[in-house]
Amino acid sequence: MVSSTCTGAGQFCIVPFVYVACQSMLIVLVGAAPEYHIDQEESPFSRAELAKRIRFANNFTSIVTEWYLVEGEAYKVGLASSLFFAGLLIGNITFGPLSDKLGRKPVYISGLFFDVIFGYVTALAPNYDVFAVSRFFVGIVNGGMALVSFVLTQEYVGKSFWSFTGSLTNLTFAVGIAVYALLGYCVREWRYLALLSNTPGVIFFLLSFMLPESPRWLYSQGKTAEAEHVLQYIALSNGKEQLNLKLKPCAGTLRKDEPAPGILNLVKHPVLRWRTVILMYIWYVCSFVYYGLTLNAGELRGNLYLNVALYGLVEIPAFPLCMVFIEKSWCGRRRTMASFLVFAGFACMFTLFLPTNAGLFFSPTLLALCGKMMVSAAFNIVYIYTSELYPTVLRNAGLGVCSMSCRFGGILAPFVPSMKSLGPFVPFVVFGISGLSAGFLTLLLPETLNKPIAESIEDLHIPKYQVLKNKKVNQSEENA
């Protein structure tokens, strides 16, 4: 394949992650519970009676204030959040294979369309039941669309830019969290906030029709002429002259009577089987330790909106840190990710031994936040690394399965603190061992730095995709 610089199309695919972040963090402010007072000691027996006796602080509104989700009804806020993550899990595993079969662009645009539709249903929900169901469907299309958007961004640019675009994508998500906090600070009515947060999706949807299909996907499907046309378009968009471009037929191109590769191929082929098992565990641990460290960092007091902003901004230093190491030949993707995971694991363990009154620079909270930054860096790398470990025909399926396992980590992490009943150190040991084990397992995977990208399953059996070669040789092969 021909390498290209970071195109406007690739840059545009990164921007919607601000919208993805707003949808992902919506429940944090929309489901927030302000201070309230009930004018009697015993709980009211009916919602109508509760509405007469409860007094909320007037600093903002939320689904809690509108539908009186307090006392025995408070669990419904968490339930709505769980439904969203359950939707993400389904979207991650279904949208990947669909985009491998139907193409990146149509699946991405369809997902974005329904994301916007269900986002407006959320904002206009007449009752809690509609709100909760809409959040479930938002999770499905939001998670699936974001996954396809990430892969589409990677496949618009040359492999030498994958670490940059991958890091920029995750950086945009972190910035999106801060943007959502700012919107929440300015708009205190939850329905208006939900509407405002969803509206950028309309703009991105309309502009997305100008995007071309992924040239790598077209090439992997044997549509060589169409892939050449897209590459010509990309070259002209980059200010290049007309190229005399002719691609060789892809070795793994499917015949018309041959079924397209699916999720079962991740299990059928031994190389992909072990890669998938290890990657699923790494993705699970990244999410598990990430949320575990967040819970252990201590409850942030003070302004709600500032706390939400800090939740995103603390991740930003992780991304330039990734860029420094993953492109170095002595470090690469594998060793860098293993180091970050091991550091995060040790951060969990060492938090146990620090006294709570040790001061600012030695406080458990600071160490836990540093660990969170490290696992955020690992999270960033695992997206890039996983994209490079799977061939184009199965890239979305592989990312979808791995991302699905990551959701289980996020679901289980909040339950680990309850293990303190077994001993105050048990949760930290669980998170620590998880981070350390994932870090060491990463070393079993092959390095992908300066190696060509496999287009088909057959490519994985060719020596040049299995043995690390000289950088100059690989670049000449990539430009061939």
Side-chain angles (χ1 to χ4, degrees):
M1 291 294 289
V2 174
S3 294
S4 63
T5 57
C6 188
T7 65
Q11 293 171 339
F12 173 78
C13 276
I14 291 171
V15 176
F17 277 84
V18 174
Y19 170 69
V20 172
C22 289
Q23 287 286 14
S24 300
M25 297 296 293
L26 187 74
I27 197 66
V28 176
L29 297 182
V30 165
E35 294 183 2
Y36 64 89
H37 174 72
I38 300 177
D39 295 336
Q40 70 177 45
E41 294 184 359
E42 296 182 1
S43 298
F45 295 100
S46 68
R47 181 170 299 182
E49 186 178 353
L50 176 62
K52 295 177 182 179
R53 297 182 179 277
I54 194 168
R55 299 292 181 269
F56 288 104
N58 294 323
N59 50 345
F60 64 88
T61 68
S62 67
I63 61 173
V64 174
T65 64
E66 180 164 339
W67 295 315
Y68 305 106
L69 304 182
V70 296
E71 304 293 310
E73 299 284 304
Y75 75 94
K76 291 186 176 180
V77 177
L79 176 61
S81 181
S82 296
L83 287 172
F84 175 80
F85 280 101
L88 286 181
L89 191 152
I90 296 173
N92 289 154
I93 198 171
T94 55
F95 273 61
L98 277 176
S99 69
D100 284 334
K101 293 180 180 180
L102 305 178
R104 315 307 197 208
K105 180 180 176 180
V107 175
Y108 163 69
I109 291 179
S110 300
L112 183 55
F113 172 77
F114 286 107
D115 199 354
V116 171
I117 295 299
F118 288 120
Y120 281 124
V121 173
T122 295
L124 303 174
N127 53 55
Y128 170 81
D129 293 337
V130 174
F131 176 87
V133 172
S134 70
R135 289 302 292 166
F136 173 71
F137 285 107
V138 166
I140 294 176
V141 292
N142 186 266
M145 178 271 294
L147 178 71
V148 178
S149 178
F150 178 84
V151 173
L152 191 57
T153 302
Q154 298 293 76
E155 294 180 349
Y156 276 145
V157 300
K159 183 178 181 291
S160 59
F161 287 91
W162 278 24
S163 61
F164 174 77
T165 54
S167 297
L168 192 59
T169 297
N170 289 292
L171 177 63
T172 306
F173 184 89
V175 172
I177 297 175
V179 170
Y180 176 64
L182 178 62
L183 289 176
Y185 178 78
C186 298
V187 181
R188 302 300 180 92
E189 169 61 45
W190 80 266
R191 289 187 183 274
Y192 293 149
L193 176 59
L195 287 170
L196 185 62
S197 301
N198 194 58
T199 299
V202 179
I203 301 173
F204 297 138
F205 171 73
L206 296 175
L207 294 176
S208 293
F209 286 96
M210 297 188 299
L211 295 173
E213 181 56 272
S214 162
R216 284 191 179 274
W217 180 83
L218 292 170
Y219 181 68
S220 70
Q221 299 298 307
K223 301 179 180 180
T224 308
E226 294 178 45
E228 292 171 352
H229 177 74
V230 172
L231 290 173
Q232 292 282 9
Y233 169 78
I234 291 175
L236 292 174
S237 299
N238 290 333
K240 306 291 184 180
E241 297 180 358
Q242 188 77 16
L243 298 177
N244 185 14
L245 178 66
K246 190 66 177 177
L247 296 173
K248 297 178 181 178
C250 181
T253 300
L254 294 171
R255 296 190 301 269
K256 290 185 179 180
D257 59 342
E258 211 175 351
I263 291 180
L264 289 179
N265 289 93
L266 301 178
V267 180
K268 186 188 303 183
H269 298 272
V271 174
L272 292 175
R273 183 190 309 141
W274 288 110
R275 285 188 188 182
T276 301
V277 170
I278 294 173
L279 285 169
M280 285 179 68
Y281 181 72
I282 293 170
W283 279 70
Y284 160 79
V285 169
C286 282
S287 177
F288 187 62
V289 177
Y290 175 89
Y291 289 109
L293 284 171
T294 301
L295 294 172
N296 184 55
E299 183 180 357
L300 296 175
R301 303 180 183 277
N303 189 285
L304 170 65
Y305 308 98
L306 178 61
N307 292 344
V308 175
L310 289 175
Y311 185 84
L313 295 176
V314 73
E315 302 176 27
I316 292 179
F319 305 118
L321 205 58
C322 292
M323 296 297 297
V324 172
F325 293 105
I326 62 176
E327 294 297 333
K328 303 294 184 182
S329 59
W330 50 268
C331 204
R333 276 71 157 140
R334 181 179 60 176
R335 292 177 182 173
T336 304
M337 189 167 74
S339 300
F340 283 136
L341 284 169
V342 168
F343 185 93
F346 278 127
C348 289
M349 304 285 252
F350 290 161
T351 301
L352 169 66
F353 303 105
L354 292 178
T356 55
N357 58 350
L360 177 63
F361 294 102
F362 297 99
S363 67
T365 298
L366 181 62
L367 183 59
L369 288 175
C370 288
K372 182 189 173 187
M373 183 178 69
M374 293 297 103
V375 79
S376 297
F379 231 147
N380 175 52
I381 298 171
V382 77
Y383 270 93
I384 302 166
Y385 194 28
T386 304
S387 298
E388 296 175 346
L389 284 171
Y390 284 106
T392 299
V393 293
L394 285 171
R395 186 164 296 124
N396 256 318
L399 274 168
V401 170
C402 292
S403 187
M404 177 198 68
S405 66
C406 141
R407 304 304 167 193
F408 285 109
I411 292 171
L412 292 177
F415 296 100
V416 176
S418 63
M419 298 175 69
K420 286 183 178 179
S421 60
L422 302 176
F425 60 90
V426 174
F428 304 106
V429 171
V430 171
F431 291 130
I433 292 176
S434 298
L436 292 172
S437 60
F440 292 128
L441 276 176
T442 301
L443 298 176
L444 298 178
L445 296 171
E447 180 57 71
T448 58
L449 179 63
N450 298 328
K451 293 184 68 175
I453 293 297
E455 304 295 345
S456 65
I457 297 175
E458 288 76 10
D459 286 343
L460 295 174
H461 303 289
I462 300 176
K464 73 176 182 178
Y465 291 93
Q466 298 173 342
V467 181
L468 185 61
K469 299 181 68 177
N470 182 273
K471 182 175 182 180
K472 292 183 179 179
V473 174
N474 284 324
Q475 287 180 340
S476 64
E477 288 173 348
E478 203 176 7
N479 290 324

